[in-house]
């Protein structure tokens, strides 16, 4: 049972504001609703004031209307990634074979499955903590975890395509990727919530931020079914280079952007055979 405090107790709001929390009142309400005892509430407020991401303190994040588990040390799904999911939902169909690379908590795949209906969903991450978290979230979408795998797909630990079952080659309908794309030199400019508490492997995209993006794009054609789609999240400043990489990989590229979310998605489509 949650505590019966007022929606936003002023001492908690004041403490969060002093710690630099911009949305202190909203955060206070969430913390109060999540805490089961006064001692737990005090601990949660303390952890948030020390700079832990709110989602790590709560243990969940809201994404595309879903409440998804986000364990400590796992990348927190960003609202801008909801744009990629909407773009993918417009292209997918029930029964589609979907792959979520660099899946983190599994937010993209879970949200797409919820939007489209039953899909054969495969997710990959190199971080063991992310893989454990994604397995919980994807099982909650209706899959059933058996021996560490989700029936009708799976969650795999490994480096991008190397972790996928080889029988997926040439039959993926929708390939999602929100890879790390922060340039190495810009990591130090990120807010402490990300810089200190999220894994560097989920943030660092190399010198120009596109090292992992290029690896995702370069191999996509071999895994996509004819007419299949690759959707890659990137930044507005990296969009042109990403479009060029997608085109060089033999896919038909187009750029989509959402001003409200400041979200950029590059979509590449594998051409279907003539006729």
């Amino acid at each position: 049972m949650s505590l019966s405090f007022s929606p936003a107790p002023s001492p908690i709001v004041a403490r969060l504001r002093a710690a630099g929390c911009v949305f202190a009142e909203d955060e206070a309400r969430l913390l109060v609703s999540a805490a089961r005892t006064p001692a737990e509430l005090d601990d949660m407020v303390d952890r948030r004031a020390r700079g832990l991401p709110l989602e790590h303190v709560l243990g969940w994040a809201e994404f595309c209307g879903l409440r998804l588990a986000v364990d400590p040390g796992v990348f927190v799904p960003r609202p801008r990634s909801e744009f990629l999911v909407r773009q993918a939902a417009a292209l997918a169909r029930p029964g589609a074979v979907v792959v979520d690379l660099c899946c983190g908590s599994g937010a993209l795949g879970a949200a797409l499955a919820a939007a489209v209906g039953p899909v054969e969903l495969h997710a990959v991450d190199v971080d063991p903590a992310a893989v454990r978290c994604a397995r919980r979230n994807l099982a909650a979408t209706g899959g059933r975890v058996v021996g560490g795998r989700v029936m009708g797909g799976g969650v795999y630990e490994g480096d991008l395509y190397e972790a996928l079952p080889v029988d997926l080659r040439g039959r993926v309908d929708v390939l999602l990727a929100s890879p790390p794309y922060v340039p190495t030199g810009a990591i130090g400019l990120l807010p402490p919530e990300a810089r200190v508490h999220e894994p560097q492997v989920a943030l660092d995209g190399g010198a120009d931020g596109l090292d992992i993006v290029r690896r995702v794009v370069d191999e996509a054609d071999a895994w996509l079914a004819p007419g299949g789609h690759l959707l890659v999240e990137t930044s507005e400043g990296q969009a042109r280079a990403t479009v060029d990489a997608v085109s060089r990989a033999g896919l038909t590229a187009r750029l989509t952007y959402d001003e409200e979310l400041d979200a950029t998605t590059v979509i590449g489509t594998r051409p279907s055979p003539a006729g």
Side-chain angles (χ1 to χ4, degrees):
M1 180 182 297
S2 62
L3 299 177
S4 57
F5 291 142
S6 59
S10 57
I12 295 177
V13 173
R15 189 175 177 190
L16 294 176
R17 281 181 180 156
C21 299
V22 177
F23 303 104
E25 291 185 355
D26 292 337
E27 293 192 10
R29 283 191 287 269
L30 287 169
L31 293 171
V32 167
S33 68
R36 292 166 294 184
T37 67
E40 185 176 36
L41 176 61
D42 188 61
D43 177 68
M44 294 173 75
V45 173
D46 180 65
R47 284 186 287 146
R48 179 61 182 133
R50 286 189 283 111
L52 270 73
L54 176 66
E55 294 81 2
H56 288 168
V57 176
L58 294 171
W60 56 268
E62 184 174 335
F63 185 79
C64 290
L66 303 177
R67 180 174 290 194
L68 299 171
V70 181
D71 297 332
V74 174
F75 183 79
V76 176
R78 303 325 197 231
R80 63 176 172 267
S81 297
E82 295 186 2
F83 177 62
L84 184 150
V85 173
R86 293 202 301 268
Q87 297 296 303
L91 299 169
R93 68 189 189 284
V97 177
V98 177
V99 169
D100 181 1
L101 294 179
C102 306
C103 70
S105 65
L108 298 184
L112 183 60
V116 173
V119 296
E120 182 183 333
L121 177 59
H122 302 263
V124 176
D125 204 284
V126 73
D127 182 0
V131 170
R132 290 192 295 270
C133 189
R135 283 177 177 156
R136 289 165 55 205
N137 283 323
L138 297 185
T141 66
R144 190 160 57 87
V145 178
V146 179
R149 293 168 61 101
V150 179
M151 292 183 66
V155 183
Y156 315 99
E157 180 184 336
D159 185 19
L160 299 179
Y161 300 99
E162 293 177 7
L164 289 172
V166 295
D167 63 1
L168 286 177
R169 290 178 68 92
R171 69 180 194 90
V172 176
D173 298 303
V174 178
L175 178 54
L176 310 172
S178 180
Y181 55 84
V182 180
T184 303
I187 295 291
L189 304 177
L190 293 174
E193 291 180 357
R195 187 179 72 246
V196 176
H197 298 288
E198 292 184 309
Q200 180 119 344
V201 70
L203 302 170
D204 192 344
D208 65 352
L210 294 175
D211 283 1
I212 309 302
V213 171
R214 279 188 286 264
R215 290 183 57 206
V216 168
V217 169
D218 287 348
E219 295 188 52
D221 182 68
W223 292 85
L224 288 173
H229 306 283
L230 165 69
L231 296 95
V232 181
E233 181 178 296
T234 187
S235 71
E236 186 177 5
Q238 297 163 321
R240 179 46 53 192
T242 304
V243 167
D244 291 344
V246 169
S247 296
R248 287 195 302 271
L251 306 177
T252 302
R254 63 186 176 95
L255 175 64
T256 60
Y257 177 72
D258 184 280
E259 184 175 2
E260 182 178 353
L261 293 174
D262 188 25
T264 301
T265 298
V266 176
I267 302 174
T269 302
R270 182 183 174 190
S272 298

